[in-house]
Amino acid sequence: DGILAYHIIDVRHRPGTSNTAADGLSRSFSTTEPTALDGGTWTVSEDWEATRGIVQDLLAVNVSTTEQNVLTDSTEITNLLQRFNNEPFFVDIIQALVDLDQDKPIRDKRRARHRANNFFLAEGKLWRVANSSANRAHSRLECVTREEARDIAYQEHMENGHWGRNLVKLRLMDKILCPRLDRIITDAI
């Protein structure tokens, strides 16, 4: 529940030697005597996945029906697909996020799912989450169409003075994500 609430979408393993906090926590109780209440006697049946119907699942997240309806509201998805109709990059990501890419070839589907790793849908919008390779610090960026980016760039240029393309670009890179943002800003100014 906490992972979904904070939009944590990527979990990576760090070995104990490089993850000193987890290594220290795991070793902190190694010198204490086990008790009946510490969970040391618990066990997992070797065939538990066969009785539960789970086969080779690494992670399963159960979403309540009310949350699921919010996440997969068909009108919001339809509106997003219409909004990004001329942006194939974003259309592929939206379709991958909501499993609408079943009819596509496997190669295209894998590519779209790989691109969709850092994206999520919320508030009727498509968002990109910052990842470790980003060189600017921001929590999330709203994905916009080229037309919307052109309007936002022109408005930013007019409101904050005529300081040129680079200042507008720096301000917009903290707010929005749009392919070919440089060219759009140049056209808008």
Side-chain angles (χ1 to χ4, degrees):
D1 189 35
I3 290 175
L4 294 176
Y6 291 104
H7 300 293
I8 297 172
I9 59 169
D10 189 19
V11 179
R12 295 185 183 153
H13 171 72
R14 291 177 55 194
T17 54
S18 66
N19 192 355
T20 56
D23 191 38
L25 286 173
S26 66
R27 294 173 192 243
S28 65
F29 298 103
S30 63
T31 59
T32 60
E33 291 296 322
T35 65
L37 299 175
D38 68 358
T41 59
W42 298 351
T43 184
V44 176
S45 173
E46 293 177 10
D47 61 345
W48 68 273
E49 70 274 359
T51 60
R52 301 283 289 182
I54 301 173
V55 177
Q56 298 178 347
D57 270 353
L58 297 178
L59 174 66
V61 177
N62 293 330
V63 180
S64 68
T65 55
T66 56
E67 290 179 35
Q68 195 171 13
N69 291 339
V70 171
L71 293 173
T72 58
D73 184 14
S74 61
T75 57
E76 285 183 4
I77 294 168
T78 305
N79 291 341
L80 276 174
L81 288 171
Q82 288 175 354
R83 177 180 168 198
F84 292 110
N85 189 28
N86 295 329
E87 306 285 343
F89 178 77
F90 290 138
V91 169
D92 289 344
I93 290 170
I94 294 169
Q95 289 176 344
L97 287 173
V98 294
D99 291 330
L100 294 177
D101 57 353
Q102 300 301 322
D103 59 336
K104 293 187 176 186
I106 292 176
R107 182 174 184 221
D108 295 342
K109 190 187 309 186
R110 284 183 182 163
R111 182 182 303 131
R113 302 229 174 189
H114 176 72
R115 287 180 179 163
N117 277 339
N118 295 326
F119 291 84
F120 68 97
L121 300 172
E123 304 162 10
K125 299 176 183 178
L126 178 64
W127 299 90
R128 180 169 187 210
V129 180
N131 58 8
S132 60
S133 65
N135 57 0
R136 296 190 53 84
H138 50 264
S139 59
R140 64 182 187 170
L141 299 173
E142 180 183 354
C143 300
V144 297
T145 64
R146 293 178 193 174
E147 294 81 19
E148 293 170 345
R150 187 177 303 116
D151 295 340
I152 294 169
Y154 180 75
Q155 182 180 4
E156 185 73 34
H157 179 69
M158 297 306 287
E159 287 177 1
N160 296 312
H162 303 282
W163 296 105
R165 180 184 66 85
N166 291 337
L167 182 62
V168 173
K169 180 180 176 184
L170 285 173
R171 288 182 176 263
L172 292 185
M173 285 176 60
D174 289 336
K175 298 177 186 176
I176 64 171
L177 175 69
C178 181
R180 300 188 179 118
L181 189 59
D182 281 337
R183 174 177 265 175
I184 292 168
I185 291 171
T186 304
D187 292 345
I189 296 175

